[in-house]
Amino acid sequence: MTPLPGTFTRDVSRRVGVALLLVAATLTLPLRAAPAPISVPLADGSGARLRIDSRQGSARLLSASGETELRVNATLRDALSRSDTVLAIGQHRLTAEPDSSVLLFVSAPSHPTAAMGYCGAGQEDGLLLLAVRNGALVMHDFVLLQSCLHSIEQAVDLGAEPAAAFHPVPSPWLVSFAAMHDDTRVQRCVGIRDERLTFQDDCITAPDASP
């Protein structure tokens, strides 16, 4: 396993990610085109689907017996509703994980109410790991990939088509993306370990627990 750059640690990324969500909850976003709702099949064989409407910050389970509204806490609801891009990526484009977790790419303006100020045209891009638990949609983890506010540039080539920046990888890995490590371009792999996102610069060994 190739370690992540020393400037990007699990503790820092988690603190920054949570801070971003909390800050987003206090902002007012101007009118904009909202991302289309996402519908992902669950992997439990029931035929049920998880539908996430980021514009409303809501989620539903759709099954043969009908629709069930899932609880979404205020922080997650506001983070989803203030994102201008929300995509299910990697293997989650086809189905959720067996534990009903779903990996999303989300992108939100750095300063939605101050377009002419510092980072006015910047974006905060990250990976959001969600799961269905006891009638609720919960956030297990959030990691920034690019951030103007926090000077993070873990991912490259996100550009205007972020879906094209993520590539399929063998199970149990979920997805990979291009990153820079010691001035060398690498494919960074994303997996899940202990309900947290983990990153390695190879997709051969099993996901390791992040520090």
Side-chain angles (χ1 to χ4, degrees):
M1 179 187 74
T2 303
L4 294 181
T7 55
F8 188 87
T9 65
R10 159 57 54 188
D11 289 340
V12 171
S13 67
R14 190 173 298 151
R15 287 198 299 269
V16 169
V18 172
L20 173 64
L21 294 176
L22 293 175
V23 169
T26 67
L27 299 176
T28 302
L29 188 66
L31 293 175
R32 55 171 171 73
I38 294 170
S39 181
V40 181
L42 299 187
D44 58 5
S46 66
R49 303 180 69 91
L50 171 63
R51 186 178 189 272
I52 300 173
D53 187 336
S54 59
R55 182 174 64 87
Q56 300 292 335
S58 63
R60 293 175 177 269
L61 274 181
L62 311 179
S63 66
S65 59
E67 296 187 11
T68 302
E69 185 83 22
L70 297 175
R71 300 186 307 277
V72 180
N73 69 32
T75 300
L76 177 56
R77 181 173 60 251
D78 288 343
L80 288 170
S81 64
R82 297 176 196 282
S83 297
D84 54 22
T85 302
V86 179
L87 301 170
I89 60 173
Q91 297 176 14
H92 293 86
R93 288 180 294 184
L94 304 177
T95 184
E97 288 293 290
D99 64 354
S100 298
S101 65
V102 175
L103 181 64
L104 302 182
F105 169 82
V106 295
S107 180
S110 300
H111 277 307
T113 58
M116 301 303 293
Y118 174 69
C119 285
Q123 291 288 120
E124 308 298 303
D125 303 333
L127 297 179
L128 182 61
L129 181 62
L130 305 177
V132 179
R133 293 287 186 273
N134 300 319
L137 184 67
V138 299
M139 180 181 68
H140 280 327
D141 205 1
F142 178 83
V143 176
L144 284 168
L145 300 182
Q146 288 191 160
S147 168
C148 180
L149 293 175
H150 302 284
S151 301
I152 293 174
E153 295 184 4
Q154 185 184 183
V156 298
D157 293 343
L158 286 177
E161 297 291 338
F166 297 95
H167 308 288
V169 289
S171 181
W173 294 99
L174 305 178
V175 71
S176 72
F177 59 89
M180 298 300 295
H181 176 59
D182 292 339
D183 297 325
T184 301
R185 187 184 179 99
V186 298
Q187 280 300 121
R188 187 152 294 159
C189 309
V190 183
I192 300 174
R193 181 70 178 267
D194 299 328
E195 298 185 337
R196 293 289 183 267
L197 293 173
T198 185
F199 299 80
Q200 291 177 201
D201 289 351
D202 73 80
C203 298
I204 299 175
T205 58
D208 198 4
S210 292

